[in-house]
Amino acid sequence: MMEHEDARDLDRNRDEEAHDAVAEALRQAGPRPELSALGLEGLSTEELAAPARAAWEARLARRARGRRALARALALAAVLALAALGLALLRSGPKPTATVLASLAEEPAGPGQAEAWPPGAPIAYGSALATAADPPLWLSLQVGAHRLRLDAASELLLLSPSRVELLRGRLYVEAGPEPLEVLAAGTVSEHVGTHYEVQVENGEARVRVRDGVVRLLRGQEKLEISRGQAGLATPAGLTLTATPVRGESWGWIRHAAPPFILEGSDLASFLGWFEAETGFEVEVAQELLTDEDGKPIRLRGALGAMAPREALDAVLAGTSLRSEIRGDRVLIFRAARP
Amino acid sequence: MTENAAPMDETLQERQLVRRMNDGEAAAFDEFVEHYTPALLRYAQGHLTGHPEAVPDIVQSTLVVAVERFDTFRGDGALGAWLLSICRFQIATYWRRLKVRKRWAAEGPVELDSLESTGESPGQSLERHQRNAGVHAILELLPGSYGNVLEWKYLEEISVQQIAERLGVSSKAAESTLSRARAAFRRLHRAEEAARSRPGAADGAGGRA
């Protein structure tokens, strides 16, 4: 009886707390303005949702194709037990896997080395990946919402879509919109939308941040690492030092970089890719990213094997824009008329 | 159940919506965009002050990412909070890519002129504007009449009896609805405030300080 009364008191207290908190938040914010008062009139939900609808339909089609292929394989096997298992799989849907985006081996490749991880190959969580040192092999992976690049002579354990462990070597992270924990030599790195590298060398972890913020944790120790900083986990503690955000020491990530698809992309996306790949900060006025009608400047063609700097020159050559490097920045400006 | 856990009926409804979409039900997709797009518009607009042309792109990319990542939606939290986290990330990426922070530093905070003058610093004003947009987006995300009920109670300051009359239900039912609306609002609001307090919070405020 007393327990029931205690529980009711607790609920009442919570409700009163909620009442105060909600009242304060709403009074500060005021009433919701009409969308038209926010300058958002004329935006139809249908138009806004059109790309999502296309993505949804494509995803359904992919799943349907996957299911049809599986059903055909089961029919070929003609084994009742397997067919029953297949049906169970169809009902529960495919288990999530990591996916190989690209694998690049330096010639001469080891026997079947790159072929072992062709683009699109699924890798089950719980798997360990080891890349060879000689000849070197680099891997690019989609893990959950994140893109990871694994250096040659490295070993990575894929624990889940939000957790990996670097056992040795180097890992580069292009973080997606969801949490990711990178375990390395007794440390945990958590990101806040960023690009960074984790390295394990001689049993010590080092994290270098190219963009955004990474939180490095070890037991009760905590270190926040920002762009241009490196965090080192030594037996003495976690220390912070300055680090370049571009240059030769980052060169390895280019080996495993998935290609940028230029055709149909827009200039802003290309410049974002250029920043991510080179570590330069691009400064560009927004009006230079759109055409006279205010629409994003669309790009055509292919980059082939161009390095990012060459690609930038090639892309800008097709526009009235030019670039200039100033320290760690690349300025984009309109060329003066002759 | 912890205080932050979503009530079973709400998470169940959201999980069912995601499952219906995963099953290819067109009506579920329409329901999804009709309910969540206005909230995303409010949120993006509030965090892209001075860049209204970017709002549709951010909302579109948020919806696309959400649709492609439904497999990773665990269903143990609110779908609205999950969508706002994706939207926040898209906005942060936008600011990072365009480096408007530096352009503002060079040209002055032109966008802030459009905010009302309250004697606050531009940073405080922007912060307040973004918080308010977050609150409005959350009201929009709440299921059913919850958003209206909260506005009636705390902004119009009408009685529970009057709320009951507007809803066409008994006072007891209105009280219960109000209580559930408060809990739902608070859960989303806490998630939003927690996200804002993280380093490099992905909404441009940190980027523009």
Side-chain angles (χ1 to χ4, degrees):
Chain A
M1 189 66 179
M2 284 293 284
E3 278 178 15
H4 281 299
E5 282 177 13
D6 287 348
R8 270 203 299 272
D9 284 347
L10 191 60
D11 283 346
R12 210 166 23 243
N13 288 340
R14 280 184 180 167
D15 207 33
E16 280 168 14
E17 264 181 51
H19 170 86
D20 294 343
V22 176
E24 191 188 342
L26 260 71
R27 283 171 193 151
Q28 280 180 8
R32 280 172 282 178
E34 294 293 326
L35 288 177
S36 56
L38 297 173
L40 299 174
E41 72 278 12
L43 290 176
S44 91
T45 302
E46 190 53 39
E47 281 175 31
L48 286 169
R53 187 182 293 278
W56 175 64
E57 287 168 353
R59 188 166 154 263
L60 291 172
R62 274 198 307 273
R63 283 176 82 199
R65 277 199 300 276
R67 286 179 172 174
R68 280 199 297 273
L70 182 57
R72 275 198 298 274
L74 290 171
L76 282 172
V79 178
L80 283 175
L82 279 181
L85 180 64
L87 279 172
L89 283 173
L90 279 173
R91 284 200 186 116
S92 63
K95 282 193 173 177
T97 56
T99 312
V100 175
L101 296 172
S103 57
L104 193 141
E106 196 166 89
E107 294 297 337
Q113 208 181 56
E115 292 81 356
W117 286 302
I123 301 173
Y125 291 107
S127 307
L129 301 175
T131 51
D134 186 23
L137 175 76
W138 297 272
L139 278 181
S140 173
L141 305 160
Q142 182 79 41
V143 176
H146 318 282
R147 287 189 167 195
L148 309 184
R149 298 183 206 176
L150 189 61
D151 194 10
S154 299
E155 195 169 357
L156 182 72
L157 193 54
L158 297 172
L159 297 167
S160 75
S162 58
R163 205 160 205 241
V164 298
E165 180 167 6
L166 183 65
L167 303 174
R168 64 186 167 94
R170 288 190 290 196
L171 177 74
Y172 182 68
V173 179
E174 294 177 83
E178 283 157 26
L180 176 72
E181 286 183 348
V182 179
L183 314 182
T187 65
V188 181
S189 301
E190 298 173 339
H191 70 84
V192 184
T194 183
H195 297 161
Y196 64 103
E197 177 203 70
V198 180
Q199 181 174 13
V200 173
E201 196 173 50
N202 301 323
E204 291 180 354
R206 184 186 71 165
V207 176
R208 294 195 298 162
V209 178
R210 211 173 192 189
D211 189 18
V213 181
V214 171
R215 200 179 286 125
L216 182 65
L217 309 166
R218 185 175 62 183
Q220 298 300 311
E221 298 173 280
K222 189 166 100 174
L223 189 66
E224 280 191 0
I225 312 164
S226 304
R227 173 180 161 84
Q229 294 181 324
L232 189 64
T234 67
L238 304 182
T239 57
L240 202 60
T241 58
T243 187
V245 291
R246 60 188 179 83
E248 192 47 39
S249 65
W250 292 93
W252 74 269
I253 65 170
R254 287 292 312 142
H255 291 299
F260 181 79
I261 309 297
L262 193 68
E263 181 71 34
S265 176
D266 61 50
L267 186 55
S269 302
F270 171 76
L271 293 175
W273 169 82
F274 176 83
E275 269 192 332
E277 292 301 327
T278 61
F280 279 112
E281 279 193 88
V282 175
E283 287 187 27
V284 56
Q286 172 123 17
E287 55 269 24
L288 299 184
L289 299 172
T290 54
D291 61 18
E292 288 169 357
D293 299 329
K295 292 183 178 160
I297 293 175
R298 294 281 163 200
L299 305 175
R300 303 191 64 82
L303 294 178
M306 280 186 215
R309 190 71 188 87
E310 291 174 277
L312 178 67
D313 290 341
V315 166
L316 294 186
T319 70
S320 60
L321 305 178
R322 298 293 176 264
S323 68
E324 183 182 316
I325 294 179
R326 288 194 198 159
D328 279 342
R329 297 174 301 152
V330 172
L331 309 183
I332 308 291
F333 54 91
R334 201 179 296 287
R337 290 177 196 278
Chain B
M1 185 191 293
T2 66
E3 205 177 344
N4 284 330
M8 189 56 80
D9 56 344
E10 285 167 36
T11 53
L12 195 61
Q13 279 175 16
E14 291 177 343
R15 278 208 304 268
Q16 279 172 346
L17 180 64
V18 171
R19 192 169 60 237
R20 284 166 56 213
M21 286 178 65
N22 281 337
D23 289 345
E25 193 184 314
F29 183 88
D30 294 340
E31 215 174 290
F32 170 73
V33 295
E34 285 298 329
H35 182 67
Y36 291 104
T37 304
L40 293 174
L41 280 171
R42 286 183 189 282
Y43 193 82
Q45 191 276 344
H47 290 75
L48 289 162
T49 311
H51 288 242
E53 72 287 349
V55 171
D57 284 347
I58 294 292
V59 172
Q60 283 186 338
S61 55
T62 300
L63 291 170
V64 168
V65 170
V67 162
E68 287 178 343
R69 301 231 172 282
F70 270 143
D71 286 342
T72 67
F73 174 62
R74 294 193 302 269
D76 52 0
L79 182 57
W82 184 69
L83 286 170
L84 288 189
S85 73
I86 296 174
C87 190
R88 206 177 295 121
F89 185 85
Q90 302 298 325
I91 292 166
T93 304
Y94 172 82
W95 288 123
R96 219 169 35 233
R97 285 189 174 169
L98 297 192
K99 294 290 174 278
V100 290
R101 180 176 22 170
K102 287 183 183 292
R103 200 157 71 82
W104 284 11
E107 297 175 6
V110 290
E111 292 82 359
L112 299 183
D113 292 347
S114 62
L115 300 176
E116 62 269 44
S117 173
T118 59
E120 299 167 316
S121 71
Q124 287 170 326
S125 183
L126 185 64
E127 174 85 7
R128 183 172 50 78
H129 183 73
Q130 292 184 348
R131 275 181 197 282
N132 293 347
V135 168
H136 293 152
I138 289 169
L139 287 172
E140 205 82 49
L141 285 172
L142 294 176
S145 57
Y146 285 5
N148 289 337
V149 165
L150 291 177
E151 282 192 329
W152 295 338
K153 170 72 181 168
Y154 295 108
L155 297 176
E156 292 188 31
E157 297 184 338
I158 64 173
S159 67
V160 172
Q161 181 56 44
Q162 287 170 302
I163 292 174
E165 284 163 14
R166 287 190 185 182
L167 292 176
V169 298
S170 69
S171 287
K172 200 168 175 58
E175 185 64 67
S176 168
T177 301
L178 183 59
S179 177
R180 279 184 277 123
R182 269 197 297 262
F185 176 90
R186 209 164 173 218
R187 197 173 54 255
L188 286 170
H189 192 237
R190 277 183 169 164
E192 169 66 8
E193 290 295 302
R196 291 184 66 80
S197 66
R198 285 189 203 119
D203 48 20
R208 289 193 268 170

